[in-house]
Amino acid sequence: MNTPAPARTRPAPRRGGGWLAVLRTPVGAAAGLLLGAVLVLAVIAPPLWHDQAATINTGDLLKGASSAHWAGTDNLGRDLFLRVLVATRLSVGLALLAMLIAVVAGLLLGTAAVVVGRRAARLIAAVVDIAVAFPGLLLALFFAVIFGVGTTGAVLAIGCATAPGFARLTQTLVAGVVARDYVAAARIAGVGRIRLLTRHVLPNIAEPLVVNATIGAGSALLSFAALSFLGLGVQGASYDWGRLLGDGLDGIYVHPAAALAPGVAVIVAGLAFNLFGEAVAKRIGLTGTGQPPSRGRAARPGAAPTARTSAEASTDVVLDVRDLTVTLTGPDGPVRPVRGVGFRLLRGEAVGIVGESGSGKSMTVLAVAGLLDERLQVDADRLTFLGTDLLSGSPRDHARLLGSSFAMVFQDPMTSFNPALRVGSQLAEVSRRHGGLNRRDAAARAVDRLRAVRIPAAERRAYQYPHEFSGGMRQRAMIGMGMMGSPALIVADEPTTALDVTVQRQVLRLIDSVRRSAAVATLLISHDVTVVGQVCDRVLVMYAGRIVEELPASELATKARHPYTRALVAAVPDMRSDPHRPLPVIPGRLPDPSELPVGCAFAPRCSLADDRCHRHEPPLETDTDGRRVACWQADAEPRRGSDFDSRADVTPPSAHKTDARTHSAADAPAAPTGERP
């Protein structure tokens, strides 16, 4: 397959195109001209007027403003206006140098959460918080004392004093970007920390950082002039606006121009930087909105690798999870949002996970993929993917395995791709990193995968940006990214939440087609039990962090044994539902993981619960047919018309008509969904 030449397609305009549009606004044009004049003057003034500004004329000492000397002369007869012009280079240059130091230091401090470990990042964040609490000028004076009097000390002082504010902004912007799905996808693909920062994080926060650096340059100019005015900045024969202002202040009552001229220069240059930055901010917007997050688990001391039986080592087993637990240390003790989850996924099999938001569905999958925060400790009796133990071994080997064989389709198509990169480039990154392909071959494979997921005009679309794709096309392209390697498992986390019904059906059919054609295992996470029942072979029902029932998808509507599963099914309307009656709902809410009730977690919401349910938590037991259920009332017949009766003529309790706080446990398709636990 030939790689399409980039010249055939005009790339979409980048967001940075707004920079030129800034100059078309009245404020932007005025600020741009003013800033341009200041910068041009900084370049040409010293070679043109340095000698004239340094010429001593004892016959013109302390002269007032005149046609010969527009701002008068100083105590040595030197022309003050020319000296102000010549001082432009040193004043602006030192301010920009100080801002450069602030930007570099701020970026290093602000991006620490991506590059270093969490403990080091928290320490850096604490230092930044302390520094931000002090006024900028006071902090500059403090650093000036440390670095010493003079030009070098003043530059370092201004840079270090400005860096904390820039670091705080960078931390905020980075936190908004690293939470996006395309960053999680890059981590699954095994992208390193530095590359993750330079390729996926910094390009998406560059505009607000540049805008704030422009505005900060004006503030640095004022701060530097203040230090020179106090005698802590420029020394000796050199001079800047701050020193000229200090020299002229002594005779301000008899010779005001000596102080006013450099003061006006400081104000004009500062306004030029600030107004230009503000104009850019209004036009573009300021919203930007070491190791990567580890698996967060502690190795069990003395734990030796467990020998696998021949059945367990079978190539048909793609994912084997046993007693998976996720623990967070809370103020009142450990909190376990995922408790003892276990299941097995075979090649070519489709398994669905259903439950309310907060039941632990997505967190279970993120624990397997190693995408949880370091504060969350992941432990399990067994966690293997394609026969590889993910609890031990090299993280680099795990990243290589997951990057080529583990595909994840996230629930929000708007955040599935990096908006700063072309779609084809993002797909090709997987093959270049894990397949060893060169740039040309990887681009060709990206086009081929886009065709495979039925993206029309794949050659042209590969050179477009994500915002040029519709929601359904972005989801299909995300599936194509997962197919860049040789995936053995596709995890679809609410893949149809933000899509209309027609596109939902297309995406689900595509996932099912990929599964059947390549014998790829599929794990579908959803609130919609109807969708899961149609496309999956087995269904896992989760509640309060644990699996409460496992059964074939074909029996979901007729043979569910757990009251919670029955209620999920009953809460979904169908063609037989009476439109004049409200939908059945489950009273109450999902319990907080830190405040789980004694006994069965579902007992406070279950009308079948008895004293035993409130005292003892039921174990997850397997029957002779391989189904699993954790319920003391699994064989109890639900009352006709109760929430747990999934029959068509269900009659909901009247109390549910007036309880505005109750909600459908299934989050029916018409209701807003998509919350993550």
Side-chain angles (χ1 to χ4, degrees):
M1 181 180 299
N2 296 327
T3 305
R8 296 179 183 176
T9 305
R10 179 177 295 176
R14 298 290 300 275
R15 294 178 297 166
W19 284 92
L20 294 179
V22 172
L23 300 178
R24 300 190 184 102
T25 64
V27 175
L33 290 175
L34 188 60
L35 180 60
V38 171
L39 296 178
V40 169
L41 190 62
V43 174
I44 67 173
L48 289 179
W49 300 302
H50 178 269
D51 292 339
Q52 293 175 263
T55 300
I56 299 175
N57 187 352
T58 56
D60 291 330
L61 302 180
L62 298 175
K63 293 288 185 180
S66 65
S67 58
H69 305 287
W70 290 4
T73 61
D74 62 5
N75 56 359
L76 293 179
R78 294 171 296 193
D79 190 290
L80 285 174
F81 181 73
L82 294 181
R83 288 176 68 80
V84 169
L85 296 182
V86 172
T88 303
R89 173 182 291 184
L90 189 60
S91 300
V92 174
L94 293 178
L96 293 179
L97 181 58
M99 196 61 210
L100 177 61
I101 295 175
V103 169
V104 173
L107 285 176
L108 293 177
L109 296 173
T111 59
V114 180
V115 179
V116 302
R118 182 162 188 85
R119 290 185 177 179
R122 292 180 64 182
L123 178 60
I124 293 174
V127 173
V128 171
D129 291 341
I130 295 174
V132 169
F134 291 92
L137 186 57
L138 180 61
L139 203 60
L141 292 174
F142 170 76
F143 283 115
V145 173
I146 294 178
F147 294 119
V149 175
T151 302
T152 302
V155 169
L156 293 175
I158 298 298
C160 293
T162 310
F166 200 82
R168 168 62 68 81
L169 172 66
T170 305
Q171 287 175 344
T172 303
L173 297 175
V174 168
V177 172
V178 297
R180 300 296 181 93
D181 290 337
Y182 60 80
V183 176
R187 283 171 172 160
I188 292 177
V191 175
R193 291 171 291 180
I194 301 299
R195 185 172 177 81
L196 183 71
L197 177 65
T198 57
R199 182 174 175 83
H200 294 284
V201 177
L202 290 181
N204 287 292
I205 64 175
E207 283 178 0
L209 293 182
V210 171
V211 170
N212 278 270
T214 304
I215 297 175
S219 300
L221 182 66
L222 296 176
S223 299
F224 204 95
L227 289 184
S228 294
F229 175 80
L230 296 175
L232 301 175
V234 175
Q235 305 290 320
S238 300
Y239 55 92
D240 67 342
W241 289 333
R243 185 174 177 188
L244 290 177
L245 180 60
D247 293 342
L249 191 63
D250 294 336
I252 191 171
Y253 294 109
V254 295
H255 191 195
L260 292 178
V264 170
V266 172
I267 293 174
V268 170
L271 283 177
F273 281 105
N274 288 339
L275 288 178
F276 187 75
E278 292 290 349
V280 173
K282 289 182 179 180
R283 180 68 187 181
I284 300 179
L286 279 174
T287 57
T289 312
Q291 60 190 54
S294 71
R295 311 195 64 79
R297 53 179 164 265
R300 293 186 294 274
T306 305
R308 299 196 298 268
T309 64
S310 59
E312 292 170 341
S314 170
T315 56
D316 289 337
V317 178
V318 175
L319 180 64
D320 192 0
V321 180
R322 298 184 188 177
D323 197 20
L324 176 68
T325 301
V326 177
T327 305
L328 171 66
T329 302
D332 299 324
V335 178
R336 295 182 176 84
V338 175
R339 305 177 294 141
V341 171
F343 61 92
R344 178 181 291 187
L345 195 58
L346 304 180
R347 191 173 297 276
E349 185 181 25
V351 174
I353 304 180
V354 298
E356 294 174 271
S357 296
S359 58
K361 307 183 302 299
S362 297
M363 186 169 290
T364 298
V365 175
L366 294 176
V368 173
L371 296 177
L372 291 180
D373 193 277
E374 285 184 340
R375 292 172 297 179
L376 295 169
Q377 178 182 334
V378 179
D379 202 359
D381 288 345
R382 183 178 183 81
L383 181 57
T384 61
F385 177 63
L386 294 179
T388 300
D389 186 2
L390 298 181
L391 292 170
S392 61
S394 170
R396 180 172 297 180
D397 294 339
H398 295 165
R400 187 179 299 111
L401 174 65
L402 293 172
S404 59
S405 302
F406 186 102
M408 193 159 183
V409 182
F410 297 96
Q411 62 178 313
D412 188 357
M414 289 298 296
T415 61
S416 297
F417 285 97
N418 188 334
L421 301 177
R422 292 183 173 88
V423 172
S425 174
Q426 297 184 60
L427 266 68
E429 184 176 23
V430 178
S431 292
R432 293 188 64 192
R433 184 168 185 84
H434 298 289
L437 301 182
N438 57 35
R439 184 183 298 273
R440 182 182 182 87
D441 293 340
R445 180 163 178 80
V447 174
D448 179 68
R449 294 298 88 189
L450 289 177
R451 285 201 190 100
V453 294
R454 305 169 191 169
I455 297 291
E459 294 88 348
R460 178 172 60 88
R461 291 290 187 179
Y463 285 92
Q464 291 182 335
Y465 292 91
H467 72 270
E468 299 178 88
F469 280 47
S470 66
M473 290 176 65
R474 274 192 291 266
Q475 285 294 50
R476 292 199 294 271
M478 193 68 187
I479 297 173
M481 177 181 287
M483 296 171 58
M484 288 297 293
S486 300
L489 172 62
I490 295 179
V491 175
D493 186 0
E494 295 285 353
T496 60
T497 295
L499 307 178
D500 58 60
V501 177
T502 302
V503 179
Q504 284 183 21
R505 193 172 187 86
Q506 294 174 356
V507 171
L508 291 174
R509 282 181 174 177
L510 177 59
I511 294 176
D512 189 62
S513 174
V514 171
R515 176 179 72 89
R516 296 180 183 277
S517 62
V520 178
T522 303
L523 189 62
L524 177 62
I525 301 174
S526 180
H527 294 85
D528 194 337
V529 294
T530 303
V531 170
V532 172
Q534 291 175 351
V535 302
C536 295
D537 301 319
R538 288 185 293 124
V539 178
L540 304 175
V541 182
M542 290 192 67
Y543 185 84
R546 66 179 302 220
I547 294 176
V548 296
E549 187 167 10
E550 177 184 357
L551 72 164
S554 59
E555 301 177 359
L556 183 61
T558 58
K559 296 184 179 180
R561 301 173 61 195
H562 199 286
Y564 180 62
T565 309
R566 298 173 189 167
L568 291 178
V569 175
V572 179
D574 57 26
M575 297 302 294
R576 299 175 296 174
S577 301
D578 188 344
H580 302 292
R581 296 181 178 181
L583 290 175
V585 294
I586 307 176
R589 294 186 179 273
L590 196 73
D592 190 296
S594 62
E595 299 177 354
L596 290 176
V598 178
C600 176
F602 187 62
R605 308 173 68 185
C606 179
S607 61
L608 303 178
D610 57 16
D611 185 65
R612 185 184 187 188
C613 299
H614 289 284
R615 290 180 177 272
H616 305 286
E617 186 173 34
L620 184 62
E621 296 181 339
T622 306
D623 61 17
T624 55
D625 296 325
R627 302 174 182 82
R628 296 189 294 169
V629 65
C631 181
W632 298 120
Q633 309 295 334
D635 298 319
E637 184 69 20
R639 293 193 301 271
R640 186 72 170 180
S642 70
D643 291 329
F644 314 113
D645 183 3
S646 58
R647 287 170 286 192
D649 56 345
V650 58
T651 303
S654 59
H656 298 164
K657 298 180 182 179
T658 58
D659 189 356
R661 295 175 299 173
T662 57
H663 59 282
S664 169
D667 289 341
T673 59
E675 302 93 346
R676 283 192 176 186

